[in-house]
Amino acid sequence: MTKRALVLGGGGVAGIAWETGVLAGLAAGGVDCRTADKILGTSAGATVAAQITSGLPMEELFRRQADPVLQNTELPSGVSVERLMAMFEGMYRRGPDLATVRREAGALALAAETVPEAVRWGVIASRLPRHEWPREADIELVVVDATTGDHEVFARGSGVDLVDAVAASCAVPGVWPPVTIGASRYMDGGVRSGVNADLVAGFERVLILAPMDDAQLAGQIDLLEESGRVEVITPDEESAAAMGADPLDPAVRTPSAEAGYAQGRALAGRMAVFWE
């Protein structure tokens, strides 16, 4: 039987809404991506991975993103995304070695003044319909150790609480606090790669949802294509406009979800051939 992986990349609250919309649109068109043998989530994708394996129908998950009445309360980031991106670009210019950049990002994360961990944990908990790891699906969530810069992948057997794992994967350096798990503190898995698709190498079919640009994605696709076929869905023109310039802005959830749903419905026919 063909082994399939679903890869969900990072992209803030806009990315959560858009990915949920795309997956709901695909499901409405007959393509249920939750049947993947593995679901890998990074940052926003970690939230979506936990949500779609919670047992709630895709239609309900979509409504929770599209209907303002049903949306959980999100904290304003209080950070200029332009300034944040410029800071990260400066790190890459100063040191092209990715390991060095990850450690520098970790130092930024550990030194930043943010809301308390417990406050941020509460927001993440409110996003998730279920706080236990799913037993019906294999999900893996990517995080980065803020001290060493090394990445880890948390799963059901890792001994890490699901909410902690999602919170860590979503802990954008300089915006949200690193998450304390055991003796370590962890930050956003997107510090390694916005998508981390190379971590599912060996699967025969890989569907990637990438809300934001990832300079490493092309090389990761080349690796994946050594053993299988790959499809990548990125925001189309309407979705990109709906998501706007600030992926951390909670106000864009409704338009992002709706645009993602329309895009998923439009792609369902082609994705059905690929996925099934």
Side-chain angles (χ1 to χ4, degrees), residues 117-128:
E117 274 190 66
V119 173
R120 176 61 174 167
W121 190 96
V123 171
I124 300 300
S126 74
R127 290 179 179 176
L128 306 185

Side-chain angles (χ1 to χ4, degrees), residues 99-181:
T100 300
V101 172
R102 289 195 290 269
R103 287 192 293 272
E104 189 172 345
L108 167 68
L110 293 169
E113 293 186 8
T114 66
V115 299
E117 274 190 66
V119 173
R120 176 61 174 167
W121 190 96
V123 171
I124 300 300
S126 74
R127 290 179 179 176
L128 306 185
R130 187 169 78 177
H131 292 175
E132 299 78 32
W133 289 92
R135 294 193 173 278
E136 307 81 14
D138 182 8
I139 68 171
E140 294 186 346
L141 311 179
V142 185
V143 302
V144 173
D145 187 304
T147 301
T148 67
D150 297 331
H151 81 279
E152 292 189 36
V153 178
F154 291 146
R156 185 173 62 235
S158 61
V160 175
D161 177 85
L162 177 63
V163 181
D164 285 346
V166 174
S169 191
C170 294
V172 181
V175 180
W176 307 121
V179 174
T180 304
I181 300 175

Side-chain angles (χ1 to χ4, degrees), residues 24 114 206 248 274:
T114 66
V206 179
L248 302 179
F274 168 75

Side-chain angles (χ1 to χ4, degrees), residues 64-98:
R64 289 184 174 212
Q65 293 297 324
D67 185 346
V69 175
L70 300 177
Q71 291 170 352
N72 70 298
T73 301
E74 292 281 349
L75 297 170
S77 70
V79 174
S80 163
V81 172
E82 289 185 1
R83 183 172 66 83
L84 191 66
M85 295 306 294
M87 191 182 307
F88 281 109
E89 288 173 4
M91 291 181 188
Y92 281 99
R93 284 195 300 270
R94 289 194 300 275
D97 175 62
L98 294 181

Side-chain angles (χ1 to χ4, degrees), residues 5-23 33-34 36 38-54 58 61 65 74 120 124 127-129 133-134 137-143 153-154 162-163 165-172 187-191 193-197 200 207-212 214 233 243 247-248:
L6 173 64
V7 178
L8 304 168
V13 291
I16 293 172
W18 176 77
E19 289 183 352
T20 304
V22 170
L23 293 171
C33 296
R34 294 174 297 179
K38 185 180 294 297
I39 301 175
L40 180 77
T42 297
S43 198
T47 296
V48 177
Q51 289 173 338
I52 65 174
T53 57
S54 67
M58 282 305 310
L61 293 170
Q65 293 297 324
E74 292 281 349
R120 176 61 174 167
I124 300 300
R127 290 179 179 176
L128 306 185
W133 289 92
D138 182 8
I139 68 171
E140 294 186 346
L141 311 179
V142 185
V143 302
V153 178
F154 291 146
L162 177 63
V163 181
V166 174
S169 191
C170 294
V172 181
M187 61 180 174
D188 200 306
V191 173
S193 160
V195 178
N196 289 304
V200 297
L207 175 60
I208 300 170
L209 271 61
M212 299 181 69
D214 181 357
I233 301 177
M243 295 168 76
L248 302 179

